[in-house]
């Protein structure tokens, strides 16, 4: 669906993005992660043909976005960080306007607007002026205008910004419901949002792509490996500290944390420089303990993100 090569953007003498290159397959939901000022919004504006790159190229469904931006815009639905709403229009009027602006016929708009209002849960405010709506409803209307023309590629820039927890959960549900109809690119620095909605992640740091993959694949890049261990001690009175001391003797162990006791079994998380599950198992079994769980612990996406962006600029923009 999308191919980008060596995209770069300067504002005056300041490099805001690039060079960046990546591909997104049809039907994927991909998340762009990065601190404020990492270049996420700049990249999304380029892909939506709202901003011309200083160099490089990109195409959407084979159409060159630099040479033929108008044709690319027909394929793209864009919800920017601040939705492009007209407060003096009613919701229905605005969605009709957005559809006509995208080249839809009057008949197409008449048929499509009720569908979009149903999808985005805005049918009950169809006749209300947008300036009277809550922030949550404005976000929904912003999403509705992005999909009214049934674009193949949907770009969402911080779609849950400013929403309360209930509204965030609802917006995530709406986005997940769009995955079957659109290729979706979401920009965010809110990690649960990315984890709940995306198939694959692209991580930007100082305008440069530093990682790509699923959360599990990115976890594998961390310098530390985490192992979950559950042990049935060789006698009931044995304290966690004794098992912990045994594990710490294994070469390569950096840290051991006790995570509790259930039905006599003791659980630990072990941090190491490499995968040392076999060595840990041999040590514990050799001391007569029963190893009832020994597995890679899921790396928290927060840890992955922090390590990948370590040293990133904290400048906003």
């Amino acid at each position: 669906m999308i191919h980008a090569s060596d995209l770069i953007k300067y504002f005056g003498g300041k490099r805001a993005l690039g060079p960046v290159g990546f591909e997104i397959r049809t039907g994927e939901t991909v998340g762009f992660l990065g601190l404020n000022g990492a270049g996420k919004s700049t990249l999304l504006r380029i892909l939506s043909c709202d901003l011309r790159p200083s160099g490089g190229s990109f195409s959407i469904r084979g159409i060159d976005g630099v040479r033929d931006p108008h044709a690319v815009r027909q394929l793209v639905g864009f919800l920017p960080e601040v939705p492009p709403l007209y407060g003096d229009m009613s919701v229905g009027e605005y969605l009709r306007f957005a559809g006509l602006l995208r080249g839809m016929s009057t008949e197409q708009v008449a048929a499509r607007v009720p569908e979009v209002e149903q999808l985005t849960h805005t049918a009950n405010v169809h006749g209300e002026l947008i300036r009277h709506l809550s922030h949550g409803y404005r976000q929904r209307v912003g999403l509705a205008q992005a999909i009214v023309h049934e674009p193949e590629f949907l770009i969402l820039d911080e779609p849950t910004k400013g929403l309360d927890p209930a509204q965030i959960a609802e917006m995530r549900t709406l986005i997940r419901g769009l995955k079957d109809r659109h290729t979706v690119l979401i920009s965010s620095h809110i990690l649960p949002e990315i984890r709940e909605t995306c198939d694959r992640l692209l991580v930007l740091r100082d305008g440069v792509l530093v990682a790509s993959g699923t959360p599990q694949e990115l976890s594998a890049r961390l310098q530390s490996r985490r192992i979950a261990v559950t042990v049935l001690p060789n006698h009931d009175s044995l304290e966690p500290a004794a098992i912990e001391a045994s594990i710490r003797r294994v070469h390569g162990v950096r840290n051991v944390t006790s995570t509790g006791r259930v039905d006599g079994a003791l659980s630990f998380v072990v941090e190491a420089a490499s995968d040392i599950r076999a060595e840990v198992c041999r040590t514990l079994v050799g001391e007569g303990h029963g190893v009832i769980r020994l597995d890679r612990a899921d790396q928290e996406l927060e840890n992955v993100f922090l390590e990948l962006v370590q040293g990133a600029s904290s400048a906003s923009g």
Side-chain angles (χ1 to χ4, degrees):
M1 175 64 76
I2 300 126
H3 176 80
S5 177
D6 294 326
L7 284 177
I8 192 165
K9 180 63 182 178
Y10 284 92
F11 292 103
K14 181 180 179 181
R15 179 182 59 83
L17 178 73
V20 169
F22 58 91
E23 291 186 346
I24 297 175
R25 296 182 294 273
T26 300
E28 275 193 304
T29 297
V30 174
F32 262 111
L33 275 171
L35 300 177
N36 288 334
K40 303 186 303 297
S41 293
T42 298
L43 178 57
L44 298 195
R45 289 181 62 194
I46 289 173
L47 294 178
S48 68
C49 297
D50 180 50
L51 189 66
R52 188 178 179 88
S54 303
S57 63
F58 74 98
S59 62
I60 297 180
R61 211 188 64 185
I63 301 173
D64 191 305
V66 177
R67 295 180 180 178
D68 198 355
H70 182 69
V72 166
R73 290 189 188 105
Q74 306 305 308
L75 305 175
V76 175
F78 183 31
L79 173 61
E81 189 172 351
V82 179
L85 305 178
Y86 294 98
D88 291 332
M89 285 185 171
S90 71
V91 171
E93 290 171 339
Y94 174 69
L95 294 180
R96 285 194 294 272
F97 168 72
L100 294 171
L101 196 65
R102 266 62 174 264
M104 301 174 71
S105 68
T106 303
E107 293 77 15
Q108 288 173 323
V109 168
R112 178 61 176 163
V113 166
E115 293 178 359
V116 169
E117 290 180 335
Q118 191 70 29
L119 281 170
T120 58
H121 303 228
T122 54
N124 58 322
V125 293
H126 172 84
E128 293 192 28
L129 294 182
I130 290 174
R131 60 186 168 89
H132 292 157
L133 299 180
S134 67
H135 180 70
Y137 268 111
R138 291 186 184 192
Q139 286 293 101
R140 293 190 215 172
V141 174
L143 180 60
Q145 66 79 28
I147 65 173
V148 68
H149 58 306
E150 300 186 84
E152 296 184 39
F153 180 40
L154 184 59
I155 301 174
L156 308 176
D157 191 1
E158 303 284 358
T160 61
K161 184 177 181 180
L163 301 183
D164 64 37
Q167 293 169 337
I168 289 173
E170 184 176 76
M171 180 61 77
R172 288 177 187 159
T173 301
L174 290 176
I175 293 170
R176 283 195 294 268
L178 298 172
K179 293 173 68 172
D180 293 337
R181 302 185 181 196
H182 311 271
T183 300
V184 184
L185 180 58
I186 303 173
S187 166
S188 183
H189 59 271
I190 301 175
L191 302 177
E193 178 178 312
I194 292 293
R195 181 170 49 234
E196 292 292 325
T197 55
C198 295
D199 305 316
R200 186 162 58 93
L201 310 179
L202 302 173
V203 183
L204 281 174
R205 182 177 71 202
D206 293 335
V208 178
L209 191 65
V210 294
S212 172
T214 66
Q216 295 76 23
E217 289 169 342
L218 295 183
S219 294
R221 295 182 48 157
L222 292 184
Q223 295 178 1
S224 295
R225 300 291 180 263
R226 300 174 72 212
I227 302 166
V229 184
T230 302
V231 182
L232 198 61
N234 54 21
H235 55 84
D236 293 339
S237 63
L238 198 63
E239 291 298 314
I243 303 289
E244 186 176 316
S246 296
I247 297 173
R248 287 184 183 276
R249 286 195 292 270
V250 176
H251 179 71
V253 169
R254 291 177 172 172
N255 192 34
V256 182
T257 304
S258 174
T259 57
R261 182 195 293 261
V262 178
D263 296 331
L266 302 171
S267 295
F268 305 87
V269 171
V270 181
E271 295 182 24
S274 59
D275 187 352
I276 57 170
R277 287 175 294 172
E279 292 85 347
V280 170
C281 186
R282 276 194 295 269
T283 296
L284 294 173
V285 172
E287 295 181 1
H289 307 300
V291 179
I292 58 178
R293 183 192 176 197
L294 185 59
D295 199 3
R296 289 191 181 96
D298 290 336
Q299 299 283 10
E300 291 292 332
L301 186 55
E302 286 80 1
N303 293 335
V304 178
F305 176 65
L306 289 174
E307 185 161 322
L308 290 171
V309 301
Q310 189 174 12
S313 170
S314 61
S316 61

